[in-house]
Amino acid sequence: MHNTEARHAAAQGSAEWLQRYDSSLMGVFGTPQRVLVSGSGCYVEDADGKQYLDLLGGIAVNALGHAHPELVAAVQEQLSTLGHVSNFFTSPAQVLLAERLLALAGAPAGSKVFFANSGTEANEAAFKLARRNTDPATGRTRILALDGAFHGRTMGALALTAKPAYREPFQPLPGGVEHLPFGDIAALTNAVDESVAAVFLEPIQGEAGVRMLPEGYLEAAREATRSAGALLIFDEVQTGVGRTGTWFASEGVLPDAMTLAKGLGGGIPVGALLTFGEGPANLLAAGMHGTTFGGNPVAAAAALATLSVLESRDLLANVRATGEFLSRRLAAVDGVAEVRGSGFLIGIDLDGPFAPATVAAALEAGFIINSTGPATLRLAPPLILTAEQAGTFLDALPGILHAARAAAAPTPITGTTEGKP
Ligand SMILES: *Cc1c(COP(=O)(O)O)cnc(C)c1O
């Protein structure tokens, strides 16, 4: 064990760590819910020795759960062989990963990959690609995204992100981005003309609460962008790499570019921008974009191992079957108003604004879940989650919702019944 310092320090309890966190970490995330010290499979353990079933997977990241032996071995082997080289050089792992991703995406000749370290960075590269899709004759400066969109937090990615609370403190953002009404095909086709450089879409909006686009939307976007000469760019940072039970949620509609990150490295930071066909990759010429870490051999080896385990264990079939089971059973739970999503990306609307209280009650009961809004929960578990593990959550959920509803209810005025009608 090389992380003896962390292990030794783990002898401290959560309270001490949280105190030290507060005095040393920037407050952008608020106070962390727990201090986690180890994980194995779909379970993690906190600094007080309590275990949790992880139904969030580090926000759709831990595709293989925690400490998966094949991922650990691949990273160890690559790191002990060649850890980092800069992009003055390449490595077999980087080339193999690019080829593998293009093959999985069914990419036609001329398709290319740019590696980054996160979803935001992959989208930032896509934003620059979009800016380069200019045409002196038409101007072609507009970039379209959707209401509810989340594409990241750096300035370019933030310009694509819709949420006013994220945007407003950082005005002025890079210009030219317009947000269209969510899921409105007519609004989209009306907006896309020769002044549009690119349209950015999440096939399913994850951060907005697992919002599904209507049937035919991606196809309509493909048609409209193709005839206007605009790029169609799918942000599959959250939905890609098996999360929805297929390699990509947009399967069947080929965009001009696609971004990936979250699940791709199984927990090691890696992002990718894929461009499809002969045209788009040439928009970014030598020297126009770059990165120090992007495509480094360790991240590439982690992604290759993740993809290889997903395939060899037929985990996409598990995501489809167990996801369907979980969603169907969730929809039958008292207090659940609606269940949305695909595979292991599941949004749950409750019948009242007690989602944050539900997250807290679930933690108490030993389950990690997430809320994306006052009445909406999200599950994005490791793709190795079994039906039996999912069943333990389903069994516990009625009690969790009961506790959450009580905790979230306004405190009744006690000690008097005066004034009651
Ligand atoms: C998480 C997310 C991002 C940002 O990815 P980071 O790795 O956090 O930078 C971008 N787009 C979508 C759809 C996401 O879910």
Side-chain angles (χ1 to χ4, degrees), residues 59-61 117-123 149-154 157 161 201-207 235-239 259 261-262 270-271 378:
I59 318 186
V61 167
N117 309 291
S118 66
T120 298
E121 281 176 73
N123 284 329
F150 183 82
H151 297 291
R153 307 275 208 140
T154 59
T161 292
L201 298 174
E202 296 158 88
I204 299 172
Q205 285 189 343
E207 296 307 298
D235 178 347
E236 291 236 28
V237 167
Q238 187 156 163
T239 53
T259 54
K262 293 199 162 94
V270 53
R378 171 177 51 177

Side-chain angles (χ1 to χ4, degrees), residues 57-85:
I59 318 186
V61 167
N62 296 95
L64 305 182
H66 300 272
H68 191 283
E70 284 170 63
L71 178 60
V72 172
V75 168
Q76 274 178 348
E77 193 190 325
Q78 185 60 57
L79 186 57
S80 58
T81 308
L82 183 69
H84 175 80
V85 294

Side-chain angles (χ1 to χ4, degrees), residues 44-301:
V44 291
E45 193 175 306
D46 73 14
D48 302 322
K50 185 179 165 81
Q51 268 217 347
Y52 304 85
L53 178 64
D54 184 2
L55 296 169
L56 185 60
I59 318 186
V61 167
N62 296 95
L64 305 182
H66 300 272
H68 191 283
E70 284 170 63
L71 178 60
V72 172
V75 168
Q76 274 178 348
E77 193 190 325
Q78 185 60 57
L79 186 57
S80 58
T81 308
L82 183 69
H84 175 80
V85 294
S86 91
N87 284 302
F88 292 125
F89 305 93
T90 187
S91 63
Q94 184 186 61
V95 176
L96 289 170
L97 180 59
E99 291 175 352
R100 190 96 162 76
L101 288 173
L102 293 175
L104 286 176
S111 302
K112 296 285 170 63
V113 179
F114 173 82
F115 286 118
N117 309 291
S118 66
T120 298
E121 281 176 73
N123 284 329
E124 200 70 32
F127 192 97
K128 288 178 80 172
L129 192 79
R131 274 285 191 264
R132 294 290 306 150
N133 186 28
T134 52
D135 179 346
T138 61
R140 208 186 270 292
T141 52
R142 295 165 66 213
I143 295 177
L144 307 180
L146 296 191
D147 284 345
F150 183 82
H151 297 291
R153 307 275 208 140
T154 59
M155 296 303 268
L158 187 56
L160 298 167
T161 292
K163 196 170 175 170
Y166 293 168
R167 299 168 58 90
E168 272 159 14
F170 303 102
Q171 303 287 357
L173 295 168
V177 180
E178 299 161 40
H179 290 92
L180 304 177
F182 179 81
D184 183 337
I185 293 181
L188 177 73
T189 52
N190 287 335
V192 177
D193 60 25
E194 294 188 353
S195 65
V196 173
V199 176
F200 279 79
L201 298 174
E202 296 158 88
I204 299 172
Q205 285 189 343
E207 296 307 298
V210 191
R211 287 213 288 174
M212 314 291 287
L213 285 167
E215 194 84 17
Y217 192 93
L218 297 183
E219 288 82 355
R222 178 66 286 181
E223 185 55 38
T225 48
R226 181 179 288 126
S227 59
L231 298 173
L232 179 62
I233 302 176
F234 290 159
D235 178 347
E236 291 236 28
V237 167
Q238 187 156 163
T239 53
V241 200
R243 170 65 39 201
T244 64
T246 50
W247 285 110
F248 309 104
S250 61
E251 244 165 63
V253 180
L254 193 73
D256 300 295
M258 174 163 79
T259 54
L260 302 172
K262 293 199 162 94
L264 179 57
I268 297 292
V270 53
L273 166 67
L274 278 60
T275 61
F276 297 110
E278 299 287 349
N282 301 324
L283 291 169
L284 290 177
M288 282 188 179
H289 196 48
T291 164
T292 298
F293 291 111
N296 87 81
V298 175

